[in-house]
Amino acid sequence: MTERISNRRPETGAFFRRDLNSHPPAYAPIYKTSVLRSPRRALLSLDGTLSEITGPVFGHNILGELDNDLIHNFAKPGESAIGPRIIVYGKVLDERGKGVPGALLEFWQANAGGRYRHKKEGYIAPLDPNFGGCGRTITDEDGAYSLRTIQPGPYPWPNGPNDWRPAHIHFSIFGHGFAQRLITQMYFEGDPMIWQCPIVRTIPDRAAIERLVAALDMEATIPMDARAYKFDIVLRGRRSSLFENRLEGN
Amino acid sequence: MVQSLDRLKESPSQTAGPYAHIGLTPNFSGISGVYDGDLGAAMVNEKTRGERIAVKIRVIDGSGTPLKDAVVEIWQADADGLHNSPSEMRGTADPNFTGWGRQATDMTTGECLFETVKPGRVPFPDGRLMAPHITIWIVARGINIGLHTRMYFGDEEAANAEDPVLARIEHRVRVPTLIAPRDGDTYTFDIHLQGEREAVFFDI
Ligand SMILES: [Fe+3]
């Protein structure tokens, strides 16, 4: 788990301040569950200490061959998940525009009918026996990644009397420091359901929402097989440690 | 006009939703056969140095109910105060300790349990030593952006009293929200999301 993936000098600066205006507020009554689960007091601002600017590293040795292929990683031999076949690819970058190598991406999603494989899921759409719904990968030296899956369906959820989630894929991202930890969701270009979703609308800024909408990229499709969507993810940047004050005795 | 700094903006956070277990702890959620095991399930092995402890965490909502669908991640130094991370420049951490754990809260009790070692002390940027602590990150349905907090140890009174982060908490009545009492080898840490005992959460 701790092997280094390159010999580049690790960065040790603190992370850029998080711009909370482009994130959803903790308390967003349009998304009812947030009401009782939102801290109400001001966060304590802290320039990163070693406890937050460090983070675990995951080696490629944890990955199985089908980990980033949701079409096949739960399917019986010779079978595959049902639904529109897609590739999702992109880069994990930081706010300085640098690719983030060695980032662990974990993703999960509903099946093509909008049904999750989960004990607490009650939607009437059927399970697909060949679809589990989870996958993971690690970015390469440039921060690039790709995965193969089926396009998930929209699904209804108990919030307002008739709220539906747009088609989406959940992404969890591990960069280079614990303070960079991020979970977000990817949406699909052209989906009219995006703009009526209360969870999407917890994000206060339309331009910020658009940064979560993956673009259809016909040039990256595999003809007669799968269409492609490009989804870049940006993690917090960090200050270089180059010119920082040296601690006495360090 | 001047040259652009060419900065990008961090991708907005979205809730992990009710099914985060599918992606983060699939074996726990009943999806077996995709990965060998759930990442972060084990932090220690038989060769790990340091004092073995257990940390029992609950995340409690504004009605007093523990969250039964949360995922909790912890990150900490080893027994000597070193992190198992490439950004750790002070030395090499114990190779038998990952420093990172991930657990889903139990679907009935809302508890999760981390088997780990007591961390050593880590310096604050100005060189003063922080008290031993564990860094905690919480996601769940209804949590729009992952919550960062810390757990300090109830039996480290002297170190806690000189900790530079705890010292930053203006309202001193809130300091105990970050300190877990010890009973035998187990520390119990209840993290209240709101109300009188709302934990101190960090913007780091
Ligand atoms: Fe979802």
Side-chain angles (χ1 to χ4, degrees):
Chain A
M1 166 158 158
T2 53
E3 79 186 57
R4 289 196 184 179
I5 60 153
S6 83
N7 58 6
R8 110 180 50 195
R9 195 173 171 281
E11 295 184 309
T12 55
F15 289 93
F16 296 169
R17 174 147 201 198
R18 187 165 241 165
D19 178 4
L20 290 171
N21 292 320
S22 66
H23 290 286
Y27 174 70
I30 188 176
Y31 175 25
K32 291 181 181 175
T33 312
S34 75
V35 172
L36 280 175
R37 294 183 170 197
S38 42
R40 299 300 170 84
R41 309 201 191 192
L43 301 176
L44 181 61
S45 289
L46 198 63
D47 209 11
T49 76
L50 277 167
S51 306
E52 297 86 22
I53 66 179
T54 55
V57 164
F58 300 90
H60 288 75
N61 58 320
I62 68 166
L63 297 178
E65 204 185 331
L66 294 178
D67 279 8
N68 67 339
D69 182 352
L70 284 71
I71 294 179
H72 296 106
N73 70 10
F74 192 78
K76 291 185 250 327
E79 299 187 16
S80 57
I82 291 173
R85 296 158 68 90
I86 60 170
I87 287 162
V88 177
Y89 80 95
K91 273 190 173 184
V92 177
L93 303 160
D94 76 10
E95 288 172 309
R96 298 168 300 180
K98 296 172 75 161
V100 181
L104 172 69
L105 297 181
E106 296 163 288
F107 15 89
W108 65 101
Q109 63 169 86
N111 70 21
R115 170 79 184 259
Y116 280 97
R117 183 173 290 281
H118 195 276
K119 295 177 187 75
K120 290 189 179 163
E121 160 73 286
Y123 185 32
I124 55 173
L127 283 170
D128 175 348
N130 287 312
F131 187 72
C134 62
R136 63 187 179 188
T137 190
I138 292 176
T139 57
D140 70 14
E141 281 296 295
D142 301 320
Y145 77 93
S146 66
L147 63 110
R148 181 147 79 144
T149 187
I150 50 89
Q151 190 163 8
Y155 58 85
W157 59 296
N159 184 61
N162 188 25
D163 281 327
W164 290 69
R165 297 300 329 278
H168 61 277
I169 301 176
H170 297 264
F171 276 79
S172 162
I173 309 102
F174 245 107
H176 293 172
F178 207 59
Q180 267 182 328
R181 200 74 184 79
L182 183 70
I183 282 183
T184 189
Q185 301 182 26
M186 180 198 115
Y187 303 101
F188 291 84
E189 177 180 356
D191 184 350
M193 304 294 289
I194 294 170
W195 306 103
Q196 53 184 308
C197 172
I199 288 177
V200 173
R201 288 165 61 193
T202 59
I203 301 172
D205 171 5
R206 187 177 172 108
I209 294 171
E210 285 170 343
R211 288 188 277 116
L212 297 182
V213 182
L216 176 67
D217 180 0
M218 291 303 290
E219 305 303 338
T221 60
I222 305 176
M224 309 305 286
D225 180 344
R227 291 171 305 143
Y229 283 88
K230 175 173 178 281
F231 184 56
D232 286 343
I233 298 163
V234 181
L235 301 180
R236 296 168 70 180
R238 76 195 306 174
R239 300 201 297 265
S240 163
S241 54
L242 219 51
F243 301 115
E244 279 188 295
N245 292 332
R246 298 280 298 180
L247 296 174
E248 293 305 320
N250 263 21
Chain B
M1 290 291 283
V2 296
Q3 294 186 4
S4 166
L5 292 174
D6 288 329
R7 290 275 151 72
L8 303 175
K9 301 247 330 184
E10 185 186 15
S11 299
S13 171
Q14 290 270 260
T15 179
Y19 308 122
H21 297 154
I22 294 175
L24 302 178
T25 56
N27 290 284
F28 170 87
S29 84
I31 297 176
S32 52
V34 181
Y35 312 145
D36 289 341
D38 291 334
L39 282 181
M43 302 174 69
V44 294
N45 62 36
E46 61 288 344
K47 287 184 272 179
T48 306
R49 296 194 299 265
E51 182 191 357
R52 296 303 177 94
I53 58 167
V55 175
K56 195 194 291 178
I57 293 178
R58 293 192 303 168
V59 182
I60 298 169
D61 76 11
S63 78
T65 308
L67 272 56
K68 292 159 187 158
D69 53 10
V71 175
V72 178
E73 292 185 2
I74 72 172
W75 171 242
Q76 63 167 93
D78 69 7
D80 297 323
L82 294 170
H83 295 94
N84 200 334
S85 167
S87 304
E88 176 59 82
M89 308 310 277
R90 296 168 300 146
T92 302
D94 182 351
N96 293 301
F97 182 60
T98 68
W100 176 72
R102 173 192 279 167
Q103 297 286 339
T105 57
D106 185 86
M107 290 187 198
T108 315
T109 64
E111 275 179 12
C112 60
L113 189 76
F114 293 88
E115 293 184 1
T116 182
V117 294
K118 197 161 178 189
R121 297 178 73 172
V122 174
F124 195 61
D126 66 9
R128 284 181 290 166
L129 287 179
M130 296 189 278
H133 63 275
I134 291 176
T135 301
I136 299 176
W137 187 74
I138 303 159
V139 291
R141 174 173 71 102
I143 293 178
N144 288 326
I145 180 164
L147 298 170
H148 283 279
T149 186
R150 282 185 175 193
M151 187 195 99
Y152 285 84
F153 295 84
D155 56 340
E156 292 284 347
E157 273 169 49
N160 292 342
E162 61 182 24
D163 181 81
V165 172
L166 292 177
R168 293 271 292 275
I169 299 172
E170 181 190 346
H171 299 100
R172 302 310 293 166
V173 295
R174 301 191 66 203
V175 172
T177 67
L178 299 189
I179 299 177
R182 177 172 193 156
D183 181 14
D185 295 332
T186 302
Y187 293 86
T188 301
F189 193 43
D190 280 348
I191 302 167
H192 290 263
L193 297 177
Q194 20 175 281
E196 202 120 296
R197 286 181 285 168
E198 180 177 318
V200 174
F201 294 101
F202 294 97
D203 174 20
I204 40 165

